[in-house]
Amino acid sequence: MIATCGSARRSLARAFADPDAGPMLLYVEGAAGLGKTHLLSELAGLPEAPDVARLWWRCGAGDGQQVADEPWGKPALLLVDDVHRADEDELRRLRRVLEGLEPGSAAAVAYRPEELPVPGLPLGGSAMAYPFRLTVLTHRLAPWDEERVRRAAADVLGESGGTAEAVGTLHERTGGVPRAVVDLLALLREQRPAFTGTAAEVAAAGVPTRLAELVLSRTYALSPAHRPLVWAAAVLDGPAARDELIAVSGLGAVPGSDALLRALESAALAEPGEGRYGFAVPLAAAAVRDTVPGPVRQDLHRRAAGVLSRRQPVAWTAVGEHHRAAGDDRRWLRAVEKAAESAAASGRHQEAIVLLERTLAAPGIPPQARARLAPLLARNAVTGLRSDQTVEVLAQIVQDGDLPPAVRGELRLDLGLMLSNQMGRFADGWRVLEIAAAELREVRSVLAARAMAALVTPYWPGASLDVHRGWLIKAVAAADDSGDEAMRTAVLANQVGLAMSWADPEAWDLVERLPVQSTDPACVRQAARGLCNAADSAVWLGFYRRVDGLLAEGRELATRSGAPYTEHSASGTRLLQEWWTGQWLGLARRCEEFIADTADMPFLASDAYVVRGLLAVAQGDWGEARSWLSQRGTFGTENLPVPLGATAAGAVIRLTLARQEVADAAEQARAAWTVVAEKGVWPWAAELAPWAVEALARAGDTTGAQAMVRDFAQGLGAADAPAARAALVWSRAVLAENEALAQGKPSGLLAAAEAYRKAAAAYAELPRPYSQALTTECAGRCVLAADAVGEAGGADGVDRSGGADGADRADEAGGADRADRADRADRADGTQAAGGAGESGGAADGAGAHGSGASAAGGSAAPAGDRASTASAIAELESCAQHFTDLGAVWDATRARALLRTRQPAKKGRPPGRPSHSDQLSPREAEVAQLASSGLTNREIAATLHLSPRTVEQHIAGAMRKTGALSRRDLVHRL
């Protein structure tokens, strides 16, 4: 595992390659563990010198492994190891051998510089009489860098060993010394449970035996009078100045200086930085520290705390640990408090959280200390990124009857904020915040205002818009009474979110009032939150062109003021913006990276989960889609923020309709609609309404579907909510199409087509290219359906198998058989029989499936007056198919192309007979195979492509036979 040094190999290779070259002596210098012996072994295998004898000399071994002093008589490579162990007699003999090197020969001499009897002179105290033609080089081995440590860790531990956290700690603790790295990796490989890649596991692995024996042998080779200085270095656990080491050791100036010299001479200590002394391998400190007697060790820690408290800036965390190890708990807790305050002031909230969690979890913390430290933990957790342990700690502490009421109220406030904002436990968080607001009203009015402001936030399921407005009135009054400008800004930030959510005409004026130029960091943090709230609401409303500016300014303020939670929430908003505006390239990867980055608090990544699920729907990966949309089980989807939950519900309803499970889709629609209606923020119904209306209409609940559209329109009123207004037009078109299909009225279908076109135009203005393509596809489908109704002379010519149990009804009516015959005709003459595919019964979803209204009853030509309209519809569908393809919406593109084939005429001029697809997939087989490999069932594929499940089964069998695929999933690798 220890890498060969290329420069050393090249030097010796040149010496053997040139017959006229003189002899060469290569010194290999390296501290213990850097790989000198390994390098000599690699040099022994030089392929450039196959005829050169290899001679080994191991100094100090006492095993006779030496060479004769006389000339060797032929070219040779002498490999001398451990010269630092040679005695005077052996060094004299080695010098004679090296002085007698002849042309064509070379020697590599390895040693530890820290153990040489005379520093800098590997061959003894007197100067070497080098021959005139002898080339002398020195190669100094260096520790591994972090990248080399990463490769070694990945080799030994696999993926878990290659984490940045683990590699950084490995490199820091071993100093990059290869032997120490390899031995520590061996310990981690053998540990149980298996290594998972955390820094804590590396720190807890212990000291490898070889390293411990080396450092202890060097330490205890010192006299007892000198050892305390090495003990001091072990307790400080990092490079320190001479005076600091002497102060901690307690030896005094003169004895301490002498002890430091002796420690350096024996290599017990090293000088890793100029004027800074410590262990060559930092991990070695633990081995020495464990051997120090307890009372002596406590005294060393006490003095170390005093020394470190005089450094600037003071490392309060380290000071606290030394006080604790010295048995002084009072000073330990005070240092922890100062460390947390310092970390919070510089924006290092996560560092403060970890320190405070660990401290409060320790047994025996006095009540007074808990009352000081717990609010500090809560404030950092709300501003930064919490861990589950924080919630558990706070939930236990608020039950402490000895806490002062003001402290308990503050803790309850922060606990409620964490439950609601960071864990998605809205119901629990709401109850805790209401209690906190009541507790704090008399004792801490400014914090009471903060609790009330939190209850203004409308995103949580449950409370209605009017309830939030009521809390806003109370919060504004409480903040004004407090006179605290930061609290006024906090209330204003939540007021922005509330006003923007329901498209209050004054919302944008409220955004302008945010104090973005404030010099108070607390005000700036709240202003950043207000801007990001506005950006998130702007995404839901459809003001996509205004989102970039709001996010950029909000994130900049959040970074400057130290608000990582706000930064992360802004990242989720950005993913939603990219989804709706069609920036799909790399979007799935960005979602998954964000989810990985926020693995400790999955609710923060809820936007990313939903966007990833929406992408999977469009790509036809329905199994993955449901998993992503359900947050992969990280928390209940019923706890999603209302707009996000409505969006996820709309996608799930769409999938359920595509599977022809219409009754289930209708139930899902009613449940999701109830949540939005109870909240009363009607712009948030935009991503749910078209699918919910379709589900009810196809289930035969026309009255319910009409009520949804009516409530949606009344709820929106005159609100300036472009996305919701486009969705309302879409929903009305869905209702019109289903009613027209039920009545068999071509005019009604054409009117629905116009409504879809209006929706498409509205989405184009936003812009939302995917929604635009979906509604455009719907318009084209309605025109083709109207043509089919006209040709059939009434409703009987329309296949409405997209309704409840539509596929079953299609089979009963012989629709599937007609699809089979049409598809056999397709395979026979190379083209799709006009109208044949549409008769199979069933459409895929509301974006191309309100009923399979696009199906035709036959292939006869349309009346002259309708030809232009039909041709325009076909052009629209062709454009949609291309837009879907450009976006990467595989499922939608396949569905649109299948719909096109129901009306495109057979190609002329091709010779009769079946086209040859004996070795290649036919176009239809390729489509079916693509959908099958993404996880769709035969029934789902049949619904998408207007085929019967039997025909789909035949196509899959053909595709598997031609590609050699072993399973449906294997098709994806064969296509």
Side-chain angles (χ1 to χ4, degrees):
M1 290 188 58
I2 300 175
T4 299
C5 180
S7 60
R9 293 186 59 143
R10 287 192 296 272
S11 298
L12 290 182
R14 284 195 298 271
F16 292 121
D18 185 358
D20 297 326
M24 175 176 288
L25 171 59
L26 176 67
Y27 287 115
V28 177
E29 177 181 296
L34 285 181
K36 298 176 298 300
T37 301
H38 186 88
L39 176 58
L40 291 181
S41 298
E42 295 246 351
L43 295 177
L46 276 175
E48 294 84 353
D51 300 325
V52 174
R54 274 66 167 173
L55 305 175
W56 281 91
W57 184 331
R58 303 188 188 279
C59 297
D63 56 4
Q65 287 197 36
Q66 299 178 4
V67 297
D69 298 350
E70 298 81 11
W72 303 324
K74 62 178 181 177
L77 171 59
L78 176 61
L79 302 158
V80 185
D81 201 3
D82 293 337
V83 169
H84 53 279
R85 294 177 176 169
D87 57 22
E88 285 296 328
D89 179 63
E90 190 170 10
L91 284 176
R92 282 194 296 271
R93 296 187 63 242
L94 177 59
R95 290 161 68 98
R96 288 196 297 271
V97 169
L98 297 176
E99 288 169 356
L101 283 175
E102 298 178 353
S105 293
V109 177
Y111 60 92
R112 296 177 182 173
E114 72 272 23
E115 294 187 21
L116 290 175
V118 181
L121 294 176
L123 297 179
S126 59
M128 173 80 172
Y130 295 113
F132 173 71
R133 296 195 63 194
L134 180 68
T135 298
V136 183
L137 301 174
T138 299
H139 180 78
R140 293 179 174 85
L141 294 173
W144 284 347
D145 60 15
E146 197 163 312
E147 170 57 23
R148 186 63 187 85
V149 172
R150 186 196 65 76
R151 296 202 306 269
D155 287 344
V156 175
L157 303 174
E159 291 185 7
S160 65
T163 66
E165 179 183 356
V167 170
T169 307
L170 276 166
H171 185 260
E172 177 189 356
R173 300 302 292 156
T174 62
V177 173
R179 184 74 269 162
V181 173
V182 172
D183 287 351
L184 185 54
L185 288 173
L187 289 177
L188 294 171
R189 181 186 60 209
E190 299 303 320
Q191 77 171 26
R192 293 295 179 272
F195 182 67
T196 60
T198 66
E201 290 172 296
V202 177
V207 184
T209 301
R210 259 187 288 230
L211 175 61
E213 290 180 352
L214 175 67
V215 69
L216 291 175
S217 67
R218 290 174 172 179
T219 298
Y220 287 90
L222 295 169
S223 71
H226 295 148
R227 288 174 198 162
L229 193 115
V230 181
W231 294 346
V235 165
L236 285 170
D237 200 15
R242 179 188 62 178
D243 292 345
E244 291 178 335
L245 281 173
I246 293 173
V248 174
S249 71
L251 291 176
V254 175
S257 295
D258 183 53
L260 177 58
L261 289 175
R262 301 288 83 77
L264 292 171
E265 288 174 359
S266 70
L269 295 181
E271 188 179 8
E274 186 173 357
R276 312 287 291 181
Y277 305 97
F279 294 93
V281 179
L283 185 59
V288 174
R289 195 164 53 245
D290 289 344
T291 66
V292 180
V296 176
R297 188 170 61 250
Q298 283 193 313
D299 288 341
L300 290 166
H301 279 295
R302 177 177 52 79
R303 291 191 290 266
V307 165
L308 294 184
S309 65
R310 292 191 288 272
R311 287 182 180 178
Q312 291 300 324
V314 179
W316 286 112
T317 301
V319 171
E321 289 301 324
H322 286 299
H323 278 310
R324 187 183 190 188
D328 192 338
D329 287 350
R330 184 179 63 83
R331 286 191 171 92
W332 162 49
L333 294 172
R334 284 293 184 185
V336 166
E337 187 175 1
K338 291 179 179 180
E341 289 172 344
S342 174
S346 59
R348 294 176 285 116
H349 299 285
Q350 193 63 21
E351 180 181 324
I353 290 168
V354 171
L355 173 62
L356 291 165
E357 283 180 349
R358 187 171 63 238
T359 303
L360 287 167
I365 303 297
Q368 300 91 333
R370 288 166 69 87
R372 293 197 316 272
L373 297 179
L376 192 54
L377 168 62
R379 288 193 291 272
N380 277 280
V382 169
T383 304
L385 302 177
R386 65 95 191 140
S387 71
D388 290 337
Q389 185 177 350
T390 306
V391 172
E392 294 174 6
V393 170
L394 293 181
Q396 292 174 1
I397 292 177
V398 295
Q399 305 302 320
D400 188 346
D402 295 330
L403 285 175
V407 173
R408 184 185 299 107
E410 181 181 357
L411 292 179
R412 206 183 298 276
L413 162 64
D414 290 328
L415 176 60
L417 291 172
M418 292 180 63
L419 288 169
S420 301
N421 294 339
Q422 299 174 3
M423 299 193 70
R425 291 166 55 183
F426 297 123
D428 293 339
W430 183 274
R431 286 192 295 271
V432 172
L433 287 169
E434 284 186 315
I435 296 172
E439 281 182 329
L440 293 166
R441 186 177 291 114
E442 300 300 328
V443 293
R444 298 283 295 276
S445 61
V446 65
L447 292 182
R450 189 179 177 201
M452 295 172 187
L455 295 169
V456 171
T457 303
Y459 290 95
W460 310 336
S464 70
L465 181 60
D466 288 339
V467 171
H468 295 299
R469 286 170 173 160
W471 280 110
L472 175 62
I473 294 171
K474 296 177 183 179
V476 169
D480 289 341
D481 291 343
S482 73
D484 187 291
E485 193 58 37
M487 186 50 59
R488 288 195 183 102
T489 306
V491 173
L492 177 58
N494 285 9
Q495 186 179 3
V496 165
L498 179 64
M500 289 282 291
S501 69
W502 61 276
D504 184 342
E506 298 180 2
W508 295 107
D509 293 335
L510 292 173
V511 174
E512 294 299 322
R513 285 173 47 194
L514 290 167
V516 297
Q517 302 299 327
S518 174
T519 57
D520 180 357
C523 285
V524 173
R525 278 194 292 272
Q526 298 301 335
R529 192 169 59 82
L531 289 171
C532 291
N533 284 349
D536 190 67
S537 293
V539 165
W540 293 111
L541 291 173
F543 292 111
Y544 303 120
R545 293 183 176 89
R546 304 186 72 163
V547 171
D548 289 341
L550 292 168
L551 278 182
E553 187 174 10
R555 295 183 77 165
E556 191 275 328
L557 292 179
T559 301
R560 176 152 53 90
S561 61
Y565 176 81
T566 300
E567 289 185 73
H568 279 70
S569 64
S571 298
T573 301
R574 169 66 65 193
L575 296 173
L576 288 167
Q577 162 92 340
E578 291 175 349
W579 158 258
W580 275 311
T581 55
Q583 302 174 61
W584 291 12
L585 185 62
L587 182 55
R589 173 183 51 78
R590 292 192 292 276
C591 288
E592 292 174 19
E593 288 174 351
F594 185 59
I595 289 167
D597 290 342
T598 56
D600 289 338
M601 44 191 314
F603 178 72
L604 190 56
S606 54
D607 291 335
Y609 278 105
V610 171
V611 171
R612 186 63 185 85
L614 294 172
L615 284 167
V617 171
Q619 293 162 352
D621 196 350
W622 292 0
E624 282 293 295
R626 283 190 178 271
S627 176
W628 288 114
L629 291 170
S630 63
Q631 309 289 298
R632 296 217 154 183
T634 54
F635 60 91
T637 53
E638 69 279 2
N639 288 326
L640 282 174
V642 175
L644 201 61
T647 301
V652 171
I653 292 166
R654 184 184 180 194
L655 286 177
T656 309
L657 288 171
R659 290 186 163 117
Q660 304 298 329
E661 298 165 0
V662 180
D664 289 344
E667 286 304 308
Q668 294 164 356
R670 293 185 186 97
W673 194 260
T674 298
V675 173
V676 176
E678 289 177 349
K679 177 59 67 174
V681 181
W682 287 101
W684 290 348
E687 312 312 316
L688 170 64
W691 313 113
V693 169
E694 179 185 347
L696 264 62
R698 287 177 57 181
D701 185 4
T702 304
T703 302
Q706 291 171 339
M708 279 185 178
V709 173
R710 182 177 62 252
D711 292 346
F712 191 14
Q714 291 176 351
L716 279 181
D720 187 12
R725 297 219 160 273
L728 177 58
V729 178
W730 185 353
S731 302
R732 285 171 169 157
V734 170
L735 194 57
E737 180 185 6
N738 278 276
E739 290 175 351
L741 286 170
Q743 298 168 9
K745 292 182 178 180
S747 60
L749 287 166
L750 293 176
E754 284 306 307
Y756 280 126
R757 289 192 179 105
K758 288 179 182 178
Y763 283 121
E765 285 293 319
L766 295 181
R768 275 179 56 166
Y770 185 54
S771 299
Q772 179 189 357
L774 289 175
T775 47
T776 301
E777 179 193 357
C778 292
R781 185 188 63 243
C782 284
V783 172
L784 298 188
D787 187 25
V789 172
E791 291 176 0
D796 291 341
V798 183
D799 176 11
R800 291 188 294 275
S801 60
D805 301 322
D808 293 338
R809 291 208 308 272
D811 286 341
E812 292 168 6
D817 291 336
R818 291 195 297 274
D820 288 338
R821 291 196 297 272
D823 203 52
R824 285 196 295 272
D826 180 21
R827 294 195 300 271
D829 64 9
T831 60
Q832 176 76 35
E839 294 175 348
S840 66
D845 68 276
H850 292 298
S852 54
S855 62
S860 59
D866 296 334
R867 289 175 186 164
S869 177
T870 302
S872 176
I874 290 174
E876 286 177 330
L877 289 170
E878 289 173 339
S879 175
C880 287
Q882 186 58 53
H883 287 161
F884 287 139
T885 300
D886 293 342
L887 283 170
V890 176
W891 176 43
D892 300 287
T894 302
R895 186 189 59 249
R897 285 193 296 268
L899 183 57
L900 273 170
R901 273 193 291 272
T902 67
R903 296 298 294 186
Q904 288 175 330
K907 297 178 181 178
K908 305 296 183 181
R910 196 186 63 77
R914 169 182 283 185
S916 176
H917 292 303
S918 58
D919 298 322
Q920 298 179 350
L921 298 182
S922 70
R924 180 69 88 189
E925 286 173 334
E927 282 182 340
V928 170
Q930 183 69 46
L931 294 176
S933 65
S934 66
L936 270 66
T937 65
N938 288 1
R939 188 181 180 90
E940 292 162 353
I941 297 169
T944 299
L945 298 178
H946 306 283
L947 298 173
S948 72
R950 185 169 61 243
T951 302
V952 170
E953 183 179 349
Q954 292 170 353
H955 283 313
I956 291 174
M960 292 178 64
R961 175 177 52 78
K962 292 179 181 180
T963 61
L966 301 177
S967 66
R968 294 167 69 99
R969 279 290 183 185
D970 190 35
L971 277 171
V972 72
H973 306 295
R974 309 279 185 160
L975 295 179

